[in-house]
Each structure stands twice: as C-alpha cells, then as structure tokens.
Amino acid sequence: MATLAFPARVDATSIADLTHLVCGHRGEDLTIDLAQTERLGGLGGQLLHSALKTWRDDGRVLTLSNSTDQLTVALERLGLVSAISTEEPRS
C-alpha cells in the first residue's frame, strides 16, 4: 500500500499537484496521511470525497490517516464529515 502525505495547506494553490499525485495511485490501495494538514479548502474536500468514491468504486482501499482536530473542523464546515468517515471499501 502506498502512502501519500498531504501538505499543511490543501487549497487552490496545491490542488492541481495533489490531484495528479492521487490519480497516479489509482488502481492500488492508498493511504493519505493528513498529519501535517492544517487547512483544507473546498477543492481539497472535493478531492478527498471524489478519491474515496473512486477508490471504493474501483474495489480498492483508500485510507485517511492521522487526521488532526483542525482538519475535522474543516470537514464539518464543508459538510463532508459523514461522507468521509462512513466510506468503507467494498468486500
């Protein structure tokens, strides 16, 4: 399983590079390490939500690890907590 560490800021300035990196792991199990992520913009939330759905639809596992309290607050503000925390890989 590959691990991809997200930067402190996941917003419009970093989204193109992160999207490219995440898509480069499509077809394999992936862990996204959020330990350093302090700021998550709307585009970052969309990327995470889309990646979780894509990995699930592909029958692969995508795990979000080391989420910070700040990130949880950002996900709540974006209305994504339930979508992200309830995503599970298919059996």
Side-chain angles (χ1 to χ4, degrees):
M1 178 181 286
T3 299
L4 179 61
F6 269 27
R9 293 179 60 138
V10 180
D11 56 18
T13 60
S14 63
I15 200 67
D17 290 338
L18 288 173
T19 300
H20 180 72
L21 289 171
V22 169
C23 289
H25 291 283
R26 187 167 181 186
E28 63 182 292
D29 294 342
L30 176 64
T31 296
I32 296 178
D33 184 347
L34 301 170
Q36 300 300 315
T37 306
E38 298 171 355
R39 186 171 186 163
L40 181 76
L43 293 174
Q46 287 177 342
L47 172 60
L48 291 176
H49 188 264
S50 177
L52 285 162
K53 182 179 182 323
T54 299
W55 261 247
R56 185 191 66 214
D57 290 350
D58 288 351
R60 305 306 301 191
V61 176
L62 188 141
T63 305
L64 303 179
S65 68
N66 301 316
S67 181
T68 63
D69 290 340
Q70 290 174 332
L71 181 59
T72 300
V73 169
L75 294 171
E76 287 173 353
R77 288 182 180 157
L78 294 169
L80 294 174
V81 168
S82 62
I84 289 176
S85 63
T86 61
E87 290 285 348
E88 296 180 11
R90 286 192 210 170
S91 303

